[in-house]
Amino acid sequence: MGWKYWKVVLRYGHVGKRNEISVARYLVTEAHYTPVVVMDQAADMPGVKHNGVTSVKEIARAEFIEGKRLEQENFFLQKMKAFHNERPA
């Protein structure tokens, strides 16, 4: 089974009154996934605003690896992941 790599730009809310932030996320899926399926999955990620998927683009594996590194350095994503890990189940 093969894989596809995606760059998905998402709008997140809750960064102040009526404010939002756009963040690129890097996803890996099975090879049969289409951009529409990826968009639907990304829209359900925690913190993403309603109609919050700005773009979906298939990318090469090397760009995916670099993108994941950038995600780890993103201050907003660090704070959001810490918040979601602290919440009781």
Side-chain angles (χ1 to χ4, degrees):
M1 164 176 41
W3 303 101
K4 283 187 178 176
Y5 303 93
W6 306 91
K7 177 181 180 180
V8 183
V9 179
L10 303 170
R11 292 181 315 146
Y12 289 90
H14 308 292
V15 289
K17 188 174 183 177
R18 297 180 189 227
N19 288 324
E20 62 185 40
I21 184 170
S22 290
V23 179
R25 300 297 306 267
Y26 296 84
L27 309 176
V28 60
T29 66
E30 295 176 12
H32 68 273
Y33 277 45
T34 65
V36 173
V37 173
V38 173
M39 181 180 72
D40 287 344
Q41 283 193 341
D44 289 336
M45 293 172 71
V48 175
K49 292 185 72 127
H50 179 68
N51 295 327
V53 180
T54 303
S55 69
V56 176
K57 176 183 166 191
E58 188 175 348
I59 59 173
R61 185 173 186 271
E63 186 176 348
F64 167 79
I65 291 169
E66 175 64 13
K68 290 306 277 185
R69 186 186 66 74
L70 292 173
E71 274 187 21
Q72 291 179 341
E73 295 175 1
N74 184 296
F75 182 69
F76 174 78
L77 291 178
Q78 289 173 8
K79 286 190 66 142
M80 186 184 68
K81 287 177 183 178
F83 172 76
H84 285 283
N85 287 336
E86 291 174 1
R87 290 179 23 188

